[in-house]
Amino acid sequence: MANKHYISDELLAAYLEGNTNEAETREVVNAIRNNPEMQVVLDIALDMEDDEAMNGVLPMMQLAADSGNNICDVLCEALILRRRDITFEDAELLSIAQENHWLKPEGTPLHLMGQLLVHYGLMVTRKYDATVDDIMKALASDNDVIVVVDKEKLYDTKDEEDAPNHAVIVSGVDNGEVSILDPSQSEFEIKRPLSAFLNAWKESHNYMVRVLQCIEDYEPQPINLDDISLTDDLLELREAIAENAHDVWATARKKEGWTFGPERDDSNKKHPDLIPYSSLPDSEKEYDRLMAVDTIKLVKKLGFEIVKK
């Protein structure tokens, strides 16, 4: 029986899972309030729970925001535009970013970084779980590279919490050092130890925005979903998504004037797949099923949950 100074592991686990009744919840709260050691135990348990919850989850909605007015990403993109000899007005750049909701009051979400560059005609790719080799390969092709880091870890300042909160440009990697351009800090190149850079970069799941010089530099790199598993009910959802995706595709084709034909004929807009999903051969269904499964997995990978109502 637990007293005010101690609670069992089972009761603590139930509390963390939200499975305690009012009396049990009060017992846990009282134990934590009266016993500092229990507070330490709770903190450790919560840290472990957070680590487990975030394992494999990509910080898509995390904000690159740790600079004046939360515009560190905008400053990086502006610097790249200047390096590419693209003219713009600073006020116009901020206005475009704000009007399109790429720059929010709290900062720029990771998945929206690079949108200003795209607006001005540059080609951008984004990648999680990138490596130093990926950076070096990009730089060797004269591509520009923006990464998201934990600012405090990058500069060895007081680290209040682990968070990918700052955008910088990587300009070089050599002799155990990483050269960066951080327009919110300095107009000059800054060198940081590779170890400090990696420690700071890992907080964003090694997120990298690559600005291509030419179309030949484009290498498709979809997010790795191998670590995401689906429950039976989500696997059942796969077929519904696959069929709907086929119907969306068929609707678009019919609006464009396509009709059924036994063989594909682009000149006469004939397509053999303009039939009900149920009548498609398995080889064609499999394409839609793979798309559906990867879509569900991607939603989970990005930290969202699919809840049945």
Side-chain angles (χ1 to χ4, degrees), residues 24-248:
E24 290 170 333
T25 299
R26 190 180 301 113
E27 184 178 344
V28 173
V29 172
N30 286 337
I32 293 170
R33 182 181 297 137
N34 290 286
N35 188 344
E37 291 183 4
M38 287 307 306
Q39 180 64 61
V40 173
V41 171
L42 179 64
D43 289 342
I44 293 173
L46 288 173
D47 285 343
M48 292 174 63
E49 190 176 66
D50 288 345
D51 289 344
E52 182 177 342
M54 289 304 294
N55 183 31
V57 175
L58 300 178
M60 181 185 77
M61 301 302 294
Q62 188 69 44
L63 300 168
D66 198 353
S67 68
N69 299 320
N70 295 330
I71 59 171
C72 56
D73 172 63
V74 174
L75 294 174
C76 287
E77 294 190 49
L79 179 56
I80 289 173
L81 289 173
R82 292 190 181 95
R83 293 173 67 177
R84 300 289 183 101
D85 295 324
I86 296 175
T87 57
F88 62 90
E89 296 292 333
D90 290 344
E92 177 189 25
L93 207 64
L94 282 172
S95 177
I96 292 171
Q98 292 166 343
E99 288 174 2
N100 287 280
H101 304 290
W102 302 331
L103 174 63
K104 303 177 185 296
E106 303 84 6
T108 303
L110 269 61
H111 71 289
L112 294 177
M113 291 175 57
Q115 287 297 98
L116 283 168
L117 302 173
V118 174
H119 177 83
Y120 282 93
L122 299 179
M123 293 180 290
V124 169
T125 64
R126 302 172 181 88
K127 178 178 173 61
Y128 289 97
D129 298 321
T131 66
V132 172
D133 285 342
D134 290 326
I135 292 177
M136 295 177 70
K137 183 177 180 180
L139 295 177
S141 299
D142 290 328
N143 296 169
D144 290 293
V145 173
I146 304 175
V147 300
V148 179
V149 298
D150 181 321
K151 183 178 181 180
E152 288 73 27
K153 287 186 175 182
L154 180 66
Y155 293 118
D156 294 329
T157 58
K158 184 178 181 181
D159 190 13
E160 296 182 356
E161 65 174 309
D162 296 337
N165 56 19
H166 192 54
V168 298
I169 298 170
V170 179
S171 54
V173 181
D174 188 42
N175 295 326
E177 288 187 324
V178 176
S179 300
I180 62 171
L181 294 168
D182 186 348
S184 71
Q185 298 290 310
S186 170
E187 61 181 301
F188 303 108
E189 194 173 68
I190 301 171
K191 293 186 181 295
R192 298 298 301 145
L194 178 59
S195 58
F197 172 79
L198 291 175
N199 192 37
W201 191 27
K202 71 179 182 181
E203 297 300 337
S204 69
H205 269 261
N206 293 42
Y207 186 65
M208 178 178 87
V209 177
R210 180 176 179 179
V211 191
L212 309 182
Q213 282 283 5
C214 60
I215 194 64
E216 286 75 20
D217 291 337
Y218 172 56
E219 297 178 1
Q221 295 179 316
I223 293 173
N224 188 336
L225 304 173
D226 292 343
D227 60 331
I228 302 298
S229 59
L230 300 181
T231 56
D232 290 343
D233 56 337
L234 289 181
L235 286 173
E236 291 175 4
L237 182 61
R238 170 193 64 181
E239 204 68 7
I241 294 176
E243 181 170 358
N244 189 69
H246 173 73
D247 285 349
V248 169

